[in-house]
Amino acid sequence: MASVVIAGGGQAGFQVAASLRQAGFDGAVTIVSEEARLAYQRPPLSKTYIKTDAAFDSLLLRPESFYEKNEIQFRGGERVTAIDRAAATVTLSTGEALAYDHLVLATGAANRSLPVAGADLPGVYQLRSAEDAEALRAGVHAASRIAIVGGGFIGLEVAAAVRTLGKDVVLVEAADRLMGRAVSRQVSAFFLDRHREMGTDVRLSTPLQAITGTKRAGGVTVAGGETIPADIVLIAAGVKPNDQLARAAGLATDNGILVDGFMTTADPKIFAIGDCAAFDSPFADARVRLESVQNAVDQAKLVAARIMGTASEPYRSVPWFWSDQGPFKLQIVGLTAGADHVELAKLGDEGKLIAYCFKGDRLLGIETVNRPGEHMLGRRILGQDLKVAREDVAHHAFDLKAHVARLAEAAQ
Ligand code: FAD
């Protein structure tokens, strides 16, 4: 009987196990999870979880009974510490060795720490796990002024969430715009205005120099020497992939574990998926590593199908992502970072936005705010490779829904 060992019990690791059972896999399925808690959703951590007293169970992907019923062994609070490829075994933090026929690396990513003075003082927080979120929400509750370092998705989501609690928030970002690695300048500018309207003191082009305080954090010092007082500091400076295990086992890594179109490493028994995997995407010109629920779930489903022998097409799921920042839902379809031309739809509504992102004549993707209909159409356009031209979009009367309907009619 074949056995599958999954290193990492997060979004991707859980999904492989669930999809294997759904497809009728009858071998042993073991998830080894560094975190003691059953697999849960991370997106609410930076949105609702930190501003409410929601119970942890509300985050669970499935209750304990699901694992029992499906005979999925969840070994919480244990780490995979080494892979012996020749013997096809992994070593656990308990010292035990586990044999595998297929090993899935779903180890996720870890927060990037900043090499500044004061970074390890009490009162300095990071946010990746439910445990981090619970510590942060206790810190937020007791604080009246919060400094956030980093203007990416997580820093901004937390800023919007804690503003609704009436806390003072200052957010410092080293780059000259928000979410600079992920969205167009137009969307960055839109969110800068919205966060300032929500009352966050956003400082761009403001690198952190140090966290002040002796016994606990008392604020941040930024480039130029200004010290901004704060009761707590959240460092939200991005992540790095957990690819050390693979590297130590002689597998290639480069900002993530390198895999082919079937998420397979150079060792045919070992897969890597989710935040820790780097792959060639048909939606980008370069190799990518994506940090999204969609990517983790779809890659996990593909690997389960591969193990079952039913996957013949390489990974080509349309990438999509969302971020809730206060009342503004940002949705991105496609990988828009390489865009050289952005066309904004003329909506006449300040709280909504549609940005069509092109590279040359090719539509790379669509970024929307509070326009879920266009986001869904965007998924269809990229999935079916439908043509949307720059000239069409630039026309003041352009209507995406009517355009897609016309294309569908013409194709019949
Ligand atoms: P993870 O879910 O991080 O799971 C990896 C697990 O592996 C972790 O539990 C880790 O402890 C464990 N692990 C690591 N090394 C080992 C080892 N050696 N042995 C055993 N276990 C190990 N995505 C969206 O699409 N939309 C959002 O709005 C959104 N919001 C987010 C908000 C927050 C606060 C965070 C942190 C992430 C958010 N994401 C969002 C990203 C999304 O949650 C991740 O892309 C997704 O969780 C990736 O799944 P994964 O299984 O690859 O990694």
Side-chain angles (χ1 to χ4, degrees), residues 6-14 31-37 40-47 75 78-82 92-93 105-111 127-129 133 153-154 157-158 239 242 244-245 273-277 290-297 299 320-324:
I6 302 163
Q11 189 87 49
F14 167 80
I31 299 177
V32 183
S33 168
E34 185 178 35
E35 290 183 72
R37 308 175 188 216
Y40 59 90
Q41 317 167 56
R42 293 181 202 278
L45 297 179
S46 47
K47 303 171 181 75
R75 300 184 61 145
E78 295 179 22
R79 270 179 70 79
V80 173
T81 55
L92 307 190
S93 43
L105 301 176
T107 46
N111 284 322
L127 181 53
R128 177 81 198 170
S129 64
F153 294 117
I154 290 177
E157 288 174 1
V158 171
V239 297
N242 287 329
Q244 311 86 328
L245 259 183
I273 53 171
D275 283 15
C276 70
L290 302 179
E291 295 159 18
S292 73
V293 169
Q294 170 276 316
N295 184 64
V297 168
Q299 291 187 341
W320 56 266
F321 184 82
W322 81 96
S323 171
D324 296 334

Side-chain angles (χ1 to χ4, degrees), residues 15 50 73 84 142 173 184 193 206 224 256 265 297 302 311 318 403:
Q15 187 64 51
I50 47 151
Q73 198 188 1
D84 182 339
E173 164 57 52
S184 61
D193 290 346
T206 306
T265 65
V297 168
L302 180 81
V318 175
H403 181 80

